């Protein structure tokens, strides 16, 4: 099973009739529940098998593939991801109070235990949030132009996209990586909130999925074991070379610059270079949006 | 001081266009000098000419020629002896 | 602390009563999304609404510092209740600026009898873009006919009166709009429709709704001020309301700090006390900026075009930072319903998310500041400022001069005296007396000179580049730092009586806490905290934890629980 296949099963998130579309997920969220139809779909798909290696009857191939599949769920609804994301069966509970949330671990019977890197899964809701921001920007007119024409908006989107890429290429085992990644997700969501303006706050309408993603991300991050803040990450240790190789040059520069500024190091880019890179990254993000491709490095096509 | 030249120079800076393209008789809003610029331009005029004006003056005045005339008049008034 | 000036807040806290009871109202409200009527009733019984009309129209007081403190006291318990009640202040702001006597008298009557008044500026497609608003008022039958939708309006359903900004001419200039004062009871039936309340991520109990006009006939006497002055009136009103909104941020951040700083397992974290100290320091900076802002309404009225934009951005930005850091420290307890105060933290975080967006979002306010950069840069470099006005703005607790709304200006003639007076206050005796503080003050001043140079290169534009927004954000943080120094210098005597004031503790901590974010905005490297900074923060954490344990004040000008 691949992430493509799961996306196909999930279908168009903007279809109001889709039981795993945003409308249905938001409606269930309002009730503090998980949608039963979504649960059935994931049970039929047998998400738990993704955690179990083939020789034990499962479908686990490698971490990156598993991450891609889980992100597909998390892009729709992080709470679905939490409830169904490990061991394949419901933990019990409705995901409402977030107590009883356990770490995401692959089937414990396996000797080679890996823990899915949670920030990597958060790229899912961040993708949805960024997509919502872009959709809104192209849709709305303000001050005589579309919102997407406003330089502040373009730079904000470019930088949120750079942050998404940074998290995507982050090395999970690097000291301080996890904590840094959480900060970046939260700040990227904050910046998209600024671009959405008042629409970021509505629980109905085309942007409503944004505030759910932001809330869910905050809740999920809060239950992870606290990271040691004294770990001082070094940029070169933070990046996975096999993934940064997939980045275009402006993207790699942007990623390194964002990380440097966050870590209190001297910036990698001058002001003028940063403007240039922002411009290019906005264009790439916009192209991916229009082309219905993921923002992460795979840039895979998605429904919707 | 040549108020007209000063205004042309300021507008050319704000709109990032050559001074030759700044026309005195064209309505300000047609230039793209909207209410946002009124505030900055008002501040410049006040600081440069030493007189007090409100940005709303720039909302009411049609073009640079009229603005120049108005400011010249204001300066002449302030230069009158107090009695 | 000057306990005399804390008296109205203490009285309001007493009137609000038992915290466990008001928390139940808050928790229930967040769930049912019903209007916070119980809070409103207590606030009305206290007479908070009497602050929304000026004294010359029968109101209780003109003092915006007092009103800010009263709002903060409510905001410590529930932001939505504060916003719901305080919205009448915004709704009526245009009236006190532009109304004829008979209009003002009618509104004062309504306000003083507790009626909510709303302000309808925004439209679904136009947000803060007031000049492109499309609700029209067309001359008709001796009056005007209204057409179009205003949304969102706070108190959109409950308000008895509305101040409404409408288009009265076609051209897209700033003279094409007029402000009207509408008595809803007098609107012809069938000519308007109530739009339902919208559900929001936070501030869920607010009556955020809208109104759709279709040929609603209103009398000529409903015009507020002269035709064509609508934008001017709206902008001046927003100068007052945006400055005062900061009370929400102070209340929310203080509430968050107390939830974390109260004795409990959350402080077992090795970093717990340091985070508490850093947050308390940022909160002190926000408090300083806000109090100076509120007093600037009186003492530096002509500068509110700058002050309001700065305060409306910096207070929520600092409070967001505080809430975010504390959430990280709290971990699961921040979000679950079993956490501190049974879910109080996650509620205040969601509620506060709204504050940086409504009434002029942070980007909107920064754009407004950028438009004033040329003059602000010049004066930041020259240091000229209004010394008397600044002294009044820094005199916390002293009854200020009466607000003269005629002195409101759309473009501050004197720039921003708080920042421009930085060199003087850095050289003042109370600052020079402490070598560490003196060093920090000099450092902040040097930063403002670098900032001034960068600002002078920015060309004001309707769509400024991102770099300009970062300079605006830096300007705001410098304002907060300068406000801290002015307030320290004005009341350094308090160092003998108040723990947070000993050895300039709060102001030194605040300046340290601001320096990291400031460096990041200016693209400068951020060194690790120096031993001196660690020592100061260590002392502050002890002071804050002690204060929180005793339910005492946790900010330099704060009040006990």
């Amino acid at each position: 099973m691949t992430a493509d296949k799961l996306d196909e099963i999930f279908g168009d998130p903007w279809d109001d009739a889709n039981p795993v579309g945003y409308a249905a997920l938001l409606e269930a969220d309002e009730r503090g529940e998980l949608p039963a139809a979504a649960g059935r779909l994931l049970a039929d798909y047998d998400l738990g098998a993704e955690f179990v290696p083939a020789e034990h009857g499962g479908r686990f191939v490698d971490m990156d593939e598993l991450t891609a599949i889980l992100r597909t769920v998390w892009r729709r609804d992080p709470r679905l991801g939490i409830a169904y994301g490990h061991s394949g069966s419901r933990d019990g509970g409705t995901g409402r109070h977030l107590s009883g949330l356990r770490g995401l671990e692959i089937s414990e019977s396996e000797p080679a235990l890996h823990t899915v890197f949670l920030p990597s899964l958060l790229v899912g809701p961040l993708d949805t949030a960024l997509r919502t921001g872009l959709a809104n920007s192209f849709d709305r007119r303000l001050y005589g132009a579309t919102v997407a024409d406003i330089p502040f908006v373009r730079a904000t989107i470019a930088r949120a996209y750079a942050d998404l890429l940074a998290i995507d290429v982050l090395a999970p085992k690097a000291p301080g990586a996890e904590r840094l990644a959480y900060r970046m997700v939260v700040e990227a969501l904050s910046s998209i909130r600024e671009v959405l303006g008042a629409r970021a706050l509505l629980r109905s309408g085309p942007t409503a999925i944004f505030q759910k993603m932001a809330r869910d991300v905050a809740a999920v991050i809060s239950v992870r074991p606290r990271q040691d803040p004294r770990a001082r990450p070094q940029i070169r240790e933070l990046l996975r070379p096999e993934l940064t190789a997939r980045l275009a040059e402006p993207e790699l520069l942007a990623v390194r610059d964002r990380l440097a500024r966050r870590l209190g190091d001297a910036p990698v880019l001058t002001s003028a270079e940063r403007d240039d890179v922002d411009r290019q990254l906005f264009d790439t993000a916009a192209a991916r949006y229009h082309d219905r491709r993921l923002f992460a490095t795979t840039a895979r096509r998605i429904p919707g | 001081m040549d108020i007209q030249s000063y205004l042309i120079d300021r507008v050319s800076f704000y709109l990032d266009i050559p001074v030759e393209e700044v026309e005195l008789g064209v309505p300000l809003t047609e230039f793209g000098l909207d209410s946002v610029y009124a505030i900055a331009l008002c501040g410049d005029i006040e600081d440069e000419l030493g007189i007090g004006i409100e940005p709303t003056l720039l909302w009411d005045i049609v073009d640079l020629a009229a603005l120049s005339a108005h400011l010249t008049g204001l300066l002449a008034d302030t230069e009158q002896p107090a009695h | 602390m000057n306990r005399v000036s804390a008296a109205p807040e203490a009285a309001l806290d007493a009137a609000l009563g038992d915290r466990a009871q008001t928390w139940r109202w808050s928790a229930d409200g967040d769930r049912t999304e019903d209007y916070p009527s119980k809070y409103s009733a207590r606030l009305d019984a206290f007479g908070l609404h009497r602050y929304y009309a000026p004294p010359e129209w029968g109101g209780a007081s003109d003092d915006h510092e007092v009103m800010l403190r009263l709002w903060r006291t409510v905001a410590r318990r529930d932001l939505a209740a504060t916003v719901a009640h305080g919205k009448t202040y915004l709704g009526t702001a245009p009236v006190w600026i532009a109304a004829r006597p008979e209009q003002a008298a009618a509104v004062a009557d309504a306000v003083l009898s507790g009626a909510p008044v709303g302000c309808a500026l925004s439209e679904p497609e136009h947000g803060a873009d007031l000049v492109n608003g499309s609700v029209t008022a067309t001359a008709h039958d001796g009056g005007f006919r209204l057409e179009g939708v205003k949304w969102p309006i706070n108190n959109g359903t409950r308000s008895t009166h509305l101040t409404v900004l409408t288009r009265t001419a076609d051209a897209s200039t700033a003279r094409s709009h007029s402000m009207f004062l509408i008595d809803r009871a007098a609107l012809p039936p069938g000519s308007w429709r109530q739009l339902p309340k919208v559900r929001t991520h936070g501030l869920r109990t607010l009556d955020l709704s809208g109104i759709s006009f279709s040929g609603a006939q209103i009398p000529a006497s409903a015009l507020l001020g002269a035709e064509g002055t609508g934008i001017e009136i709206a902008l001046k009103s927003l100068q007052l309301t945006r400055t005062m909104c900061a009370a929400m941020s102070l209340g929310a951040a203080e509430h968050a700090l107390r939830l974390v700083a109260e004795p409990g397992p959350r402080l077992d974290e090795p970093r717990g006390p340091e985070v508490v100290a850093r947050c308390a320091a940022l909160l002190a900076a926000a408090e300083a900026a806000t109090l100076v802002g509120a007093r600037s309404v009186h003492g530096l009225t002509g500068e509110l075009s700058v002050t309001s934009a700065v305060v409306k951005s910096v207070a929520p930005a600092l409070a967001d930072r505080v809430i975010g850091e504390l959430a990280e420290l709290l971990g699961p307890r921040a979000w679950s319903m079993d956490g501190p105060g049974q879910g109080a933290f996650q509620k205040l975080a969601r509620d506060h998310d709204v504050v940086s967006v409504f009434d002029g979002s942070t980007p909107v306010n920064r754009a407004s500041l950028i438009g004033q950069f040329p003059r602000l840069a010049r004066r930041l470099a020259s240091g000229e400022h209004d010394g008397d006005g600044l002294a009044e703005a820094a005199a916390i607790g002293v009854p200020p001069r009466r607000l003269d709304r005629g002195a409101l200006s759309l473009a501050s003639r004197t720039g921003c005296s708080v920042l421009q007076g930085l060199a003087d206050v850095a050289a003042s005796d109370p600052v020079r007396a402490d070598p560490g503080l003196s060093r920090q003050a000099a450092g902040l001043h040097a930063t403002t000179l670098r900032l001034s140079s960068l600002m002078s290169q920015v060309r004001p534009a309707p769509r400024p580049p991102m770099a300009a927004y970062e300079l605006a954000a830096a300007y705001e943080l410098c304002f907060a730092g300068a406000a801290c120094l002015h307030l320290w210098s004005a009341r350094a005597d308090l160092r003998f009586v108040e723990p947070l004031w000993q050895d300039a503790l709060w102001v030194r901590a605040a300046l340290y806490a601001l320096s990291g974010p400031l460096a990041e905005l200016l693209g400068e490297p951020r060194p690790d905290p120096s031993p001196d900074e660690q020592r100061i923060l260590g002392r502050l954490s002890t002071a804050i934890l002690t204060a929180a344990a005793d339910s005492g004040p946790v900010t330099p000008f704060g009040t006990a629980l």
Side-chain angles (χ1 to χ4, degrees):
Chain A
M1 281 295 187
T2 62
D4 274 320
K5 183 73 190 162
L6 186 54
D7 250 325
E8 209 184 308
I9 293 172
F10 275 176
D12 182 1
W14 295 107
D15 176 4
D16 284 353
N18 185 349
V20 266
Y22 294 144
L25 294 166
L26 279 165
E27 206 236 330
D29 192 60
E30 286 287 316
R31 294 195 310 269
E33 292 169 9
L34 291 170
R40 283 194 293 275
L41 215 137
L42 284 171
D44 287 346
Y45 173 84
D46 190 12
L47 190 61
E50 300 294 344
F51 292 86
V52 179
E55 55 267 32
H56 294 271
R59 299 196 292 263
F60 179 78
V61 174
D62 63 40
M63 232 25 229
D64 285 340
E65 184 60 35
L66 174 59
T67 300
I69 289 168
L70 292 178
R71 273 187 192 170
T72 302
V73 182
W74 283 66
R75 250 188 299 117
R76 292 294 166 119
D77 190 336
R79 286 171 190 252
L80 267 184
I82 294 286
Y84 293 93
H86 53 287
S87 79
S89 61
R90 288 283 299 272
D91 287 60
T94 59
R96 213 188 316 213
H97 289 279
L98 287 194
S99 48
L101 178 69
R102 299 202 295 269
L104 298 163
E105 286 166 326
I106 296 178
S107 170
E108 291 179 27
S109 63
E110 284 319 293
L113 276 178
H114 299 285
T115 304
V116 178
F117 188 49
L118 180 60
S120 202
L121 300 188
L122 293 181
V123 168
L126 185 51
D127 183 291
T128 301
L130 186 54
R131 206 163 295 273
T132 308
L134 273 162
N136 181 71
S137 300
F138 285 121
D139 208 40
R140 286 196 79 196
R141 297 193 66 83
L142 276 181
Y143 309 106
T146 66
V147 169
D149 294 324
I150 299 173
F152 166 81
V153 170
R154 295 168 83 91
T156 300
I157 297 229
R159 293 173 190 193
Y161 171 52
D163 286 345
L164 186 154
L165 290 175
I167 298 165
D168 195 20
V169 303
L170 221 51
K173 304 245 185 312
E178 193 173 349
R179 181 163 182 266
L180 178 62
Y182 293 146
R183 289 199 154 203
M184 291 178 82
V185 171
V186 167
E187 284 168 22
L189 288 170
S190 252
S191 72
I192 297 169
R193 175 175 284 127
E194 279 194 341
V195 156
L196 286 169
R199 288 171 183 214
L201 312 167
L202 301 180
R203 279 162 37 223
S204 53
T207 54
I209 196 67
F210 172 82
Q211 51 84 38
K212 175 176 154 54
M213 294 288 136
R215 261 187 298 118
D216 289 349
V217 166
V220 163
I221 287 175
S222 74
V223 298
R224 286 296 292 157
R226 211 145 14 258
Q227 313 301 309
D228 182 4
R230 285 164 299 195
R232 186 95 161 88
Q234 300 297 317
I235 292 192
R236 68 183 163 285
E237 294 171 348
L238 280 173
L239 304 177
R240 289 175 62 187
E242 69 275 25
L243 292 183
T244 55
R246 290 194 211 157
L247 296 174
E249 201 199 323
E251 293 173 333
L252 180 56
L253 287 170
V255 163
R256 288 179 48 224
D257 190 64
R258 300 290 291 159
L259 291 175
R261 285 168 194 269
R262 276 237 167 58
L263 295 173
D265 296 343
V268 165
L269 299 170
T270 64
S271 224
E273 286 167 346
R274 191 155 66 134
D275 282 347
D276 216 32
V277 160
D278 280 347
R279 241 186 317 273
Q280 292 177 80
L281 260 71
F282 176 81
D283 286 344
T284 308
R288 291 203 183 172
Y289 163 77
H290 286 303
D291 221 15
R292 290 203 325 274
R293 292 185 177 280
L294 290 178
F295 294 116
T297 53
T298 67
R300 191 168 57 79
R301 265 259 168 81
I302 52 170
Chain B
M1 79 119 44
D2 183 347
I3 292 181
Q4 245 181 44
S5 300
Y6 174 74
L7 290 176
I8 290 172
D9 173 74
R10 285 281 87 197
V11 170
S12 140
F13 169 68
Y14 286 135
L15 297 180
D16 201 12
I17 55 179
V19 297
E20 306 78 62
E21 286 182 30
V22 180
E23 291 179 64
L24 292 168
V26 172
L28 297 175
T29 49
E30 268 178 48
F31 259 119
L33 261 188
D34 63 13
S35 46
V36 170
Y37 292 111
I39 295 197
L41 188 52
C42 167
D44 288 349
I45 291 170
E46 287 190 312
D47 286 355
E48 188 68 29
L49 303 183
I51 50 177
I53 57 167
E54 275 293 308
T56 48
L57 170 69
L58 298 170
W59 295 353
D60 294 330
I61 272 208
V62 179
D63 56 38
L64 286 180
L67 179 58
S68 179
H70 182 91
L71 294 175
T72 307
L74 276 182
L75 266 184
D77 286 345
T78 59
E79 280 157 17
Q80 292 290 348
H83 49 276
Chain C
M1 184 62 236
N2 181 348
R3 295 294 167 194
V4 171
S5 69
E9 289 152 280
L12 178 51
D13 239 343
L16 282 170
D18 176 44
R19 280 173 189 277
Q21 181 184 55
T22 56
W23 166 248
R24 275 198 297 281
W25 296 349
S26 295
D28 288 347
D30 201 42
R31 209 184 54 249
T32 63
E33 308 195 43
D34 290 337
Y35 190 78
S37 319
K38 292 181 177 158
Y39 270 111
S40 278
R42 290 249 168 117
L43 295 174
D44 285 346
F46 172 81
L48 184 59
H49 56 294
R50 300 189 54 236
Y51 286 81
Y52 304 154
E56 54 266 34
W57 293 105
S61 155
D62 183 47
D63 188 336
H64 282 67
E65 181 197 326
V66 170
M67 193 171 76
L68 185 94
R69 291 166 167 282
L70 292 175
W71 277 355
R72 167 169 68 173
T73 303
V74 187
R76 291 197 299 194
R77 300 189 190 218
D78 192 303
L79 282 188
T82 319
V83 171
H85 196 271
K87 259 320 183 160
T88 299
Y89 173 81
L90 166 58
T92 55
V95 172
W96 321 122
I97 288 172
R100 292 187 311 277
E102 59 272 21
Q103 290 175 312
V107 172
D109 263 348
V111 167
L112 294 173
S113 63
V117 175
C119 183
L121 294 179
S122 299
E123 298 174 13
E125 295 311 311
H126 299 293
D129 181 12
L130 302 181
V131 171
N132 279 314
S134 61
V135 170
T136 52
T138 316
H140 180 87
D141 255 1
F144 296 86
R145 269 174 80 105
L146 300 182
E147 199 75 44
V149 175
K150 283 296 187 186
W151 178 98
I153 309 172
N154 201 340
N155 287 338
T157 308
R158 303 174 73 91
S159 50
T160 58
H161 293 74
L162 284 176
T163 45
V164 185
L165 180 68
T166 66
R167 173 180 288 284
T168 37
D170 278 335
S172 47
T173 69
R175 281 305 196 199
S176 300
H177 301 262
S178 308
M179 193 73 81
F180 288 89
L181 171 66
I182 292 178
D183 176 356
R184 292 174 69 140
L187 284 174
S191 69
W192 65 279
R193 210 166 39 95
Q194 187 70 60
L195 301 177
K197 171 186 150 96
V198 286
R199 293 172 307 161
T200 50
H201 161 83
L203 299 185
R204 293 187 176 197
T205 55
L206 283 191
D207 166 25
L208 254 187
S209 45
I211 187 162
S212 171
F213 299 107
S214 33
Q217 181 71 19
I218 54 175
S221 58
L223 184 60
L224 205 50
E227 198 169 320
T229 59
I231 297 289
E232 189 183 343
I233 296 171
L235 291 177
K236 289 179 176 176
S237 304
L238 290 170
Q239 286 181 5
L240 296 170
T241 60
R242 285 172 179 172
T243 306
M244 299 302 293
C245 263
M248 314 303 156
S249 296
L250 295 188
E254 180 180 338
H255 190 180
L257 184 61
R258 287 185 188 277
L259 284 172
V260 175
E262 277 154 9
R266 59 201 133 253
L267 297 171
D268 290 344
E269 282 299 303
R271 257 191 99 229
E274 188 208 321
V275 169
V276 166
R278 203 169 285 283
C279 291
L282 291 174
L283 177 54
E287 181 187 61
T290 303
L291 285 175
V292 167
R295 292 192 64 84
S296 294
V297 166
H298 300 272
L300 294 166
T301 315
E303 294 190 1
L304 288 178
S305 66
V306 178
T307 318
S308 63
V310 167
V311 171
K312 179 62 177 66
S313 292
V314 83
L318 290 173
D320 274 340
R321 220 179 246 274
V322 166
I323 292 169
E325 298 259 350
L326 293 174
E328 195 185 344
L329 181 62
L330 273 180
R333 287 160 298 204
W335 205 259
S336 85
M337 301 303 285
D338 316 310
Q342 295 89 50
F345 196 97
Q346 56 86 26
K347 177 185 182 303
L348 73 84
R350 271 186 296 108
D351 286 349
H352 189 261
D353 277 342
V354 182
V355 175
S356 60
V357 169
F358 71 29
D359 267 0
S361 65
T362 299
V364 162
N365 280 289
R366 286 182 180 161
S368 162
L369 197 61
I370 292 165
Q372 300 175 77
F373 267 13
R375 168 176 272 162
L376 292 177
R378 282 194 293 271
R379 282 167 191 254
L380 199 47
S382 74
E384 53 182 310
H385 63 280
D386 176 354
D388 287 341
L390 182 54
E392 174 144 44
I396 305 297
V398 175
R401 77 183 83 164
R402 188 63 73 86
L403 164 60
D404 171 15
R405 287 169 172 80
L408 290 168
S409 163
L410 295 182
S412 167
R413 196 153 288 141
T414 44
C416 176
S417 295
V418 169
L419 263 172
Q420 290 147 209
L422 188 46
D424 279 4
V425 76
S428 71
D429 287 339
V431 173
R432 282 188 30 229
D434 185 310
L437 180 60
S438 195
R439 225 176 16 249
Q440 287 177 284
L444 181 63
H445 182 234
T447 299
T448 63
L449 293 179
R450 283 199 303 284
L451 182 57
S452 152
S453 167
L454 292 167
M455 284 164 65
S456 67
Q457 293 162 36
V458 172
R459 205 187 299 267
R463 299 188 232 151
M466 184 57 144
Y469 284 86
E470 291 174 322
L471 295 179
Y475 191 88
E476 292 157 17
L477 293 181
C478 289
F479 179 97
C484 289
L485 286 165
H486 292 302
L487 294 186
W488 164 261
S489 187
R491 292 308 310 272
D493 56 295
L494 288 171
R495 71 190 183 284
F496 299 117
V497 293
E498 294 289 330
L500 293 178
W501 289 71
Q502 272 175 24
D503 298 321
L505 180 60
W506 75 264
V507 55
R508 296 211 61 206
L511 291 175
Y512 271 134
L514 291 171
S515 62
L518 203 42
E520 191 172 339
L521 283 168
L522 295 173
E524 294 163 1
R526 250 181 8 260
D528 286 334
S530 65
D532 188 51
E533 181 173 344
Q534 289 171 20
R535 183 184 61 82
I536 295 275
L537 290 179
R539 277 192 59 184
L540 184 62
S541 82
T542 306
I544 294 293
L545 294 174
T546 306
D550 294 335
S551 300
V554 292
T555 59
F557 296 95
T559 55
L561 267 192

